[in-house]
Amino acid sequence: MNDLIYETVVTTASPAGVPHVAPMGVRYREGEVVLMPFRPSTTLDNILATGHAVLNLVTDVRVFAGCVTGRKAWPVLPAVQVPGVRLQCALRHVELQLVAQAEDAERPVLRLRPVHEAAHAPFIGFNRAQAAVLEAAVLVSRLHMLPADKVDAEMRYLQIAIDKTAGPAEHEAWGWLVEAIAQQREGRAAA
């Protein structure tokens, strides 16, 4: 059976206080949050240096699409209990403290314990376009590993949800992702 993975946005801060925003799949196990960031990773470096992170639960899929297309500057607010920030658009955030790590050359396993959490807005549900943007953002984050025909087939399918249910935010995010795919292919053609 596969692990149940939840798509979230993790904010961290460098020891100098520079914020970093990254979409990340997380697992919840026995009251802890488990992160497995790939190396190299600013998120990993920041957590190991400071011992803290903030888990942001958001429905604004522009954050996911933006981060994988180079748009990482999102409005933030100070965290309450840990050094760092949370996303202003977070419906809920959970401040975390590192309690254990298991080394791995590719993906270390970090176990973090919640030390503070707060809800900021109600969750009214997802629409299909939001799910499509999330899936497309994952595709874009893996363009270097996936064949073009697989990406094209999945994007065509996901386009159906965009056409039927997207609002302005989802259209904007989708445009960033489509542009990133085109730019990656132009880069390959030029090489």
Side-chain angles (χ1 to χ4, degrees):
M1 177 180 252
N2 292 335
D3 275 348
L4 191 55
I5 300 172
Y6 295 90
E7 298 302 326
T8 67
V9 178
V10 175
T11 49
T12 57
S14 72
V18 177
H20 180 72
V21 179
M24 190 165 294
V26 303
R27 295 159 177 86
Y28 298 104
R29 291 192 189 135
E30 300 171 5
E32 295 177 339
V33 174
V34 178
L35 301 179
M36 295 174 61
F38 283 100
R39 289 187 188 270
S41 164
T42 301
T43 297
L44 175 63
D45 294 344
N46 287 348
I47 293 172
L48 294 178
T50 68
H52 297 98
V54 178
L55 189 68
N56 297 270
L57 304 170
V58 302
T59 54
D60 186 345
V61 292
R62 291 176 297 184
V63 178
F64 294 92
C67 285
V68 301
T69 60
R71 297 163 175 88
K72 294 189 177 204
W74 295 95
V76 295
L77 298 169
V80 176
Q81 298 280 329
V82 303
V85 296
R86 73 165 179 93
L87 289 173
Q88 185 176 332
C89 68
L91 300 180
R92 182 172 160 253
H93 85 278
V94 182
E95 299 176 22
L96 303 166
Q97 179 177 334
L98 181 64
V99 293
Q101 71 182 80
E103 274 306 314
D104 183 85
E106 185 179 40
R107 293 186 80 178
V109 178
L110 307 178
R111 291 184 16 234
L112 298 105
R113 163 178 73 82
V115 295
H116 176 78
E117 59 185 276
H120 310 290
F123 173 69
I124 60 170
F126 281 113
N127 70 39
R128 288 177 52 214
Q130 289 169 315
V133 170
L134 282 177
E135 286 301 318
V138 171
L139 285 173
V140 167
S141 75
R142 297 177 178 160
L143 287 175
H144 63 286
M145 303 182 319
L146 298 173
D149 59 336
K150 177 176 177 51
V151 172
D152 292 344
E154 293 202 23
M155 291 296 287
R156 277 192 303 275
Y157 176 74
L158 295 170
Q159 182 73 55
I160 296 167
I162 297 298
D163 292 343
K164 288 183 176 181
T165 67
E170 293 80 25
H171 279 292
E172 183 175 27
W174 185 258
W176 296 340
L177 296 166
V178 169
E179 180 181 293
I181 293 168
Q183 288 175 347
Q184 188 260 2
R185 289 187 179 160
E186 288 171 9
R188 263 196 210 160

